Amino acid sequence: MTGIAAGLLLQLGLGALAVLSALALAPALRSLVGGIFGTLIAVTGFLTGLAALLGATGGLVIPIALPMDPLLLAPDRLGGLFMLIVSGVGILVSLYSMSSTRGPDASRTAWVAMPVFLVGMQLVPAATDSVSFLLAWEIMTLGSTVLLFADHARRSTVASAGIWYSAMSQLSFFFILAGFAVLATASGGTSFTDLQAIEPGSGAANVAFVLFVLGFGGKAELVPLHVWVPRVLPEAPSHVSAAMSGAMVKIGVYGALLVCVRLMPDGPAWWGIAIMLVGGASALYGILQASVSSDLKVLLAYSTTENMGLVFLGLGASMLLRGYDATAAADAALVAALLLAISHAAFKSTLFLGAGAIIHATGERNLDRLGGLGARMPVTAAAFGIASLGAAAIPITSGFVAEWMLLQSLIHGGRLDGAVVSISASVAMPLAVAVIALTAGLALLTFVKAYGIAFLARPRSAPAADAREVPPLMQLALVLGALSILALGLLPGPIAAVVATTFSTDPTGAVQAVGLGGVSLPGIGATLDPVMLVILSALVAIPVFVSIIVSAHRHPARTIDLPWGGGGSRARPRMQYTATSYAEPLVRVFDDVLKPTRDVQVTHVAESRYLVERVRVEQRVSDVIETRLYRPVLNLFQRYGIVVRHIANGSIHRYLSYSFVALLIVLIVVSL
Amino acid sequence: MFETFYPQLIGLCTGALLLTSALMVWRHSLLASIRLLGLQGIALAALVAVIGIAEDESELVFVSLLILTVKGLGLPWVLAHQSKASIKQIQESPRLNPTAALLAVTLLTILSYVVVSRVFGLGDTTTGHAAPIGLAMVLIGFLLLISRRRARSQLIGFLLLDNGIATIAFLTSGGVPILLEFAISLDVLLVVLILHVFAGRMRTKFGGTAVDQLRELHD
């Protein structure tokens, strides 16, 4: 038995043990043991994924009773990379959940579903045929749905979110199933090796491509299939949101890569353009919604849509450029997309875990009622801050490297040896650069808001003022997450070089590691060495800081308080910026896209109309796509349902009459 | 001797089956329906016995005894297992009036003759000629199912349907294997017992077994 097979078998065995222990153990022990098992499952998955990524082969054969080939789980390098990503998130989430879960989140059902979810996610990238892929996919969806429903009894929003999630998951699954069915019919087999035989330009391939993009795009939260995201991720327990956004969404990305890179690598140009369009639209729409949201978890959820949009933008650009033989730029774009996925897994799971820590400490997720947490929860604040830097793509974090590489490939991709590769590429690439630029600017604004309003300034509510730092295990998960973001950002070279091996046998022409963990793109002629940058800027900054500190020590501190204090001494928490007021200019600028509803109520003083006693402003930004696209369809279905209710009204006589009439009609028709 | 009587015996038995079916639609009293069901069971048993003697199969004679016990005596006894005084009072108020119901029975019988003769052909054998009766019984049983309100009256419709299926089986292919016949009979007996207990519980809980009134329970 190979190492990979042993690792996969161990994951399955640990998963089964975790389910049994969750069923058997008393509530007091359940979270601890469940967390330990979850960590073990994730560590096993991590090691298995790492081995597969580094080129280990082998797999686990699972015979089945059905008349078809046995299921074969054998991750290749790409599968290994994604197994690594999801299990890395799994480690953080499992450590965190050991002490974060309380009440219904720590119920027996939830702890049975957690290992199912983790194992399901880790097995999807290992599948080598469509049957085992779909099986693992459904296990993953099932586990996540049950976890989401954990708190449905207390909050009605959870039930509604769960129904949205179930419906959208099933829609995704249907599309993927249909895609595989089309390919399997055309190629005559279900294993990925058989499916690779499809001619990418053929009709069946085109149909399957559209179905797959709809299916995997739904899981990867792309517009317009993202509507479940702003409902589900905020309502799920925070460690589940972290696992969903950090890991499960990557499985959607993996599916898209599987289709576009492995199964049908040389598709027509419109495939790349379509993916770029969907990705660009998702990136812009996601970050716009995130930037105006004042609910911390909704903000993070929409930001996930943005990041996945960028990943798909990179993937689409890579497909388009590869079609025009701009291989170096195409490889760089694909590496950038993969690095984006990795870094998103790191920073978004840390952010969601940080949001969970805030909810754990204050019970609030409305930014307008937070503030001042930086002094009260220093570890959480530091981790959330680093993750915010990553999400805003600021240097020395992982997000920066990925976006830098994506921009490099897009800027240089339109030209090959000085000549324009094609009209469509030379139109698409600058547009994509513009989209990324706007997205990056809005992302910066969004995360300045998220971090600044929540952790800086003064508390805006009593729970925020009474916040205490979370338990050590939750801190450990947050610190590990933050460290991984920094590691990915400081040492991009070796990571990018390994990532490039997932789709190319000789990637040195596209990506190389140089210097102190720096990355070089020889095909484009660009180099980035973050460690060197840090050392250089430290050389410049340290003398300046030292001189400032020294000169500050020479002058004694002023001890007399000014009586008036420049007005600052009487500032109240309510006078500070809130998340809503901070985003107000943006709402005005993008008024036509966001369509916010404002409600202003002015109460006058009884004596005079000219004096105002209080003003109450309420602003809601709803999801335009949901209200304009989904609502009409749902209303149509609802009307159909009301009509149908008359036909099927629950009377057994009526149902029997239907079958009797049907039988009579059949008899009459056959005897005619 | 038997050879000459054989077609007439088959005709008599199937005629009895059809007649009891039609009477079941006509009569509203539950007790009468149950008695008719018993008669029908006896007629079915007789039919099977006649076929068994004609084809010289001792197995079929054994089956006919089984049918006589289960359908002719067992099921009616289970259904009527209640004080005779109370069951006599149970009157069905069906959704179809007797005239319309009997007209429907006529049409269904004609339809089944048309269907069988057009689709399968009546064949040359005596039993083949009688086969439409089985289909007619199935359709009449269905009619009872949809036109009766009480749970136990519907149960009688279901049993009539089952008798129809058995009749078709015996007339066209000399019956199903004995093991299967045995299992089906036991199944039907079990279903009737369960539903009987249910109906009894429903009556004590809600005071009636009109299925329409039970619709409110599902909310």
Side-chain angles (χ1 to χ4, degrees), chain A residues 507-601:
Chain A
T508 46
V511 180
Q512 283 176 357
V514 292
L516 298 169
V519 64
S520 151
L521 307 172
I524 293 171
T527 309
L528 176 72
D529 196 342
V531 176
M532 199 59 92
L533 279 179
V534 169
I535 291 171
L536 283 178
S537 40
L539 284 180
V540 177
I542 286 172
V544 176
F545 272 114
V546 168
S547 61
I548 290 174
I549 291 167
V550 168
S551 63
H553 271 285
R554 280 191 192 147
H555 300 283
R558 189 168 57 214
T559 49
I560 310 154
D561 274 334
L562 287 174
W564 180 53
S569 60
R570 293 188 62 186
R572 297 199 204 127
R574 278 182 60 97
M575 292 174 178
Q576 305 172 100
Y577 258 115
T578 62
T580 311
S581 60
Y582 186 82
E584 168 67 13
L586 266 181
V587 178
R588 284 193 187 280
V589 172
F590 293 102
D591 196 58
D592 288 338
V593 186
L594 296 168
K595 307 265 185 223
T597 49
R598 278 190 208 93
D599 192 13
V600 183
Q601 286 177 0

Side-chain angles (χ1 to χ4, degrees), chain B residues 17-85:
Chain B
L17 286 171
L18 187 60
L19 185 66
T20 45
S21 309
L23 285 176
M24 269 192 240
V25 176
W26 180 52
R27 292 298 299 267
H28 289 177
S29 149
L30 184 62
L31 190 62
S33 295
I34 294 170
R35 282 179 180 156
L36 283 167
L37 192 71
L39 276 180
Q40 193 170 56
I42 295 167
L44 186 61
L47 176 71
V48 176
V50 168
I51 296 173
I53 293 165
E55 312 221 332
D56 207 11
E57 284 187 46
S58 52
E59 206 182 44
L60 275 182
V61 179
F62 179 72
V63 171
S64 86
L65 284 177
L66 183 72
I67 292 175
L68 185 67
T69 341
V70 175
K71 295 194 170 170
L73 305 169
L75 287 175
W77 181 79
V78 170
L79 284 171
H81 181 67
Q82 204 179 359
S83 67
K84 285 279 163 69

Side-chain angles (χ1 to χ4, degrees), chain A residues 397-411:
Chain A
T397 63
S398 53
F400 172 72
V401 181
E403 285 201 21
W404 171 83
M405 204 182 276
L406 184 57
L407 278 175
Q408 289 292 342
S409 64
L410 291 176
I411 291 169

Side-chain angles (χ1 to χ4, degrees), chain B residues 102-146:
Chain B
L102 283 178
L103 197 63
V105 167
T106 322
L107 289 174
L108 291 175
T109 313
I110 294 170
L111 177 71
S112 54
Y113 265 95
V114 171
V115 168
V116 173
S117 60
R118 293 287 286 273
V119 179
F120 309 106
L122 286 174
D124 318 324
T125 58
T126 321
T127 49
H129 271 284
I133 302 283
L135 184 58
M137 283 168 72
V138 170
L139 294 178
I140 294 167
F142 226 130
L143 183 71
L144 269 185
L145 264 180
I146 62 170

Side-chain angles (χ1 to χ4, degrees), chain A residues 259-273:
Chain A
V259 171
C260 301
V261 178
R262 238 176 102 189
L263 296 184
M264 303 187 284
D266 301 307
W270 72 265
W271 288 14
I273 293 173

Side-chain angles (χ1 to χ4, degrees), chain A residues 285-443:
Chain A
Y285 187 79
I287 197 60
L288 208 54
Q289 287 282 358
S291 64
V292 297
S293 169
S294 56
D295 183 315
L296 183 57
K297 285 179 83 174
V298 173
L299 181 150
L300 295 178
Y302 272 120
S303 147
T304 305
T305 297
E306 173 238 3
N307 284 288
M308 290 306 104
L310 290 182
V311 171
F312 274 71
L313 194 65
L315 172 64
S318 144
M319 290 162 71
L320 187 64
L321 292 173
R322 203 175 297 282
Y324 297 119
D325 291 329
T327 315
D331 284 352
L334 197 53
V335 171
L338 287 168
L339 282 182
L340 262 176
I342 298 171
S343 74
H344 179 257
F347 69 69
K348 193 49 65 65
S349 44
T350 311
L351 283 171
F352 265 114
L353 295 181
I358 293 175
I359 296 171
H360 193 273
T362 64
E364 282 288 344
R365 49 176 229 236
N366 187 350
L367 282 172
D368 289 343
R369 293 175 56 77
L370 293 172
L373 297 179
R376 291 165 181 80
M377 307 168 68
V379 178
T380 309
F384 196 93
I386 291 171
S388 298
L389 291 180
I394 302 294
I396 78 157
T397 63
S398 53
F400 172 72
V401 181
E403 285 201 21
W404 171 83
M405 204 182 276
L406 184 57
L407 278 175
Q408 289 292 342
S409 64
L410 291 176
I411 291 169
H412 298 287
R415 288 176 176 275
L416 190 63
D417 302 327
V420 174
V421 292
S422 88
I423 304 283
S424 54
S426 53
V427 173
M429 297 303 152
L431 276 178
V433 171
V435 165
I436 293 176
L438 181 56
T439 311
L442 287 173

Side-chain angles (χ1 to χ4, degrees), chain B residues 103-201:
Chain B
L103 197 63
V105 167
T106 322
L107 289 174
L108 291 175
T109 313
I110 294 170
L111 177 71
S112 54
Y113 265 95
V114 171
V115 168
V116 173
S117 60
R118 293 287 286 273
V119 179
F120 309 106
L122 286 174
D124 318 324
T125 58
T126 321
T127 49
H129 271 284
I133 302 283
L135 184 58
M137 283 168 72
V138 170
L139 294 178
I140 294 167
F142 226 130
L143 183 71
L144 269 185
L145 264 180
I146 62 170
S147 63
R148 293 289 152 106
R149 292 179 203 273
R150 286 175 179 280
R152 277 203 281 184
S153 309
Q154 285 195 314
L155 195 55
I156 289 171
F158 170 71
L159 290 172
L160 176 53
L161 200 152
D162 181 65
N163 282 348
I165 294 171
T167 310
I168 297 177
F170 286 114
L171 286 176
T172 52
S173 58
V176 284
I178 186 158
L179 195 68
L180 210 58
E181 174 60 33
F182 198 66
I184 293 172
S185 300
L186 278 182
D187 265 356
V188 170
L189 192 61
L190 200 67
V191 166
V192 170
L193 277 171
I194 290 171
L195 287 180
H196 185 69
V197 171
F198 259 124
R201 297 282 301 165

